[in-house]
Amino acid sequence: MISIIMALSAEFGAGTTDQSGPRAAIAFIFIYSFGYALFFNAMVWVVPVELFPFFLRSKGLGLAVFSKAVVAIVLAQITPIAIEHVHWRYYSLFIASNFAAGLIYYFFLPETKGKSLEEIAELFGDALATEQLEDVDTSGKEGMHPAKHLESA
């Protein structure tokens, strides 16, 4: 979408008398924003929650949302200046950053769709509670599984 916006802005930039190009560019901006809001923008809420262990989850999510807000503020401040000076070439920044983020998401973040919480924990290298329970014998009785000891108590 941004590539189309960039091409339309390059072809029908300032000084054009044909209004169909700029209108199409505006339409593609809305289409891109809709898609970005549904898919890419949600990553700031999803990835930290799955990436960080439970005790760091709130701090990780807070840092991610803070970083996103700071980047949004910086972009809101520099975009008018950049558009004025580099015109349609400014869109290449967004194309490159979205492409890089897509590659990072695809190659470095494992798929968790349809997996249980235990399977997700195992994907991220966490020790499973069931494995830890089997390794610990709290009963003091030889050969008795800890779960059996809890049931008999």
Side-chain angles (χ1 to χ4, degrees):
M1 289 294 153
I2 296 180
S3 299
I4 294 170
I5 295 166
M6 188 167 93
L8 287 170
S9 296
E11 184 66 29
F12 301 101
T16 186
T17 57
D18 184 7
Q19 292 300 308
S20 60
R23 287 181 179 147
I26 291 170
F28 278 104
I29 289 172
F30 278 101
I31 294 168
Y32 169 77
S33 296
F34 179 75
Y36 186 87
L38 282 179
F39 302 109
F40 244 38
N41 200 29
M43 295 305 252
V44 76
W45 301 100
V46 175
V47 172
V49 171
E50 290 193 10
L51 190 62
F52 287 103
F54 187 72
F55 69 96
L56 286 176
R57 195 163 289 160
S58 61
K59 289 180 177 66
L61 183 59
L63 180 63
V65 172
F66 172 77
S67 299
K68 181 187 177 299
V70 168
V71 168
I73 291 168
V74 168
L75 287 175
Q77 296 299 314
I78 66 169
T79 295
I81 299 165
I83 292 285
E84 183 180 330
H85 293 300
V86 295
H87 308 288
W88 56 270
R89 291 174 197 86
Y90 181 63
Y91 291 111
S92 61
L93 170 70
F94 298 103
I95 293 169
S97 63
N98 285 343
F99 184 72
L103 288 174
I104 290 169
Y105 296 155
Y106 184 79
F107 288 111
F108 295 107
L109 298 178
E111 178 60 56
T112 58
K113 180 181 178 184
K115 297 191 182 303
S116 68
L117 290 176
E118 290 79 14
E119 291 170 326
I120 293 171
E122 192 172 18
L123 277 175
F124 286 100
D126 295 342
L128 298 179
T130 56
E131 291 173 0
Q132 293 172 355
L133 184 62
E134 292 172 357
D135 294 340
V136 177
D137 183 14
T138 59
S139 68
K141 300 175 185 173
E142 288 294 320
M144 186 176 229
H145 190 274
K148 298 281 188 199
H149 175 71
L150 293 175
E151 289 173 3
S152 65

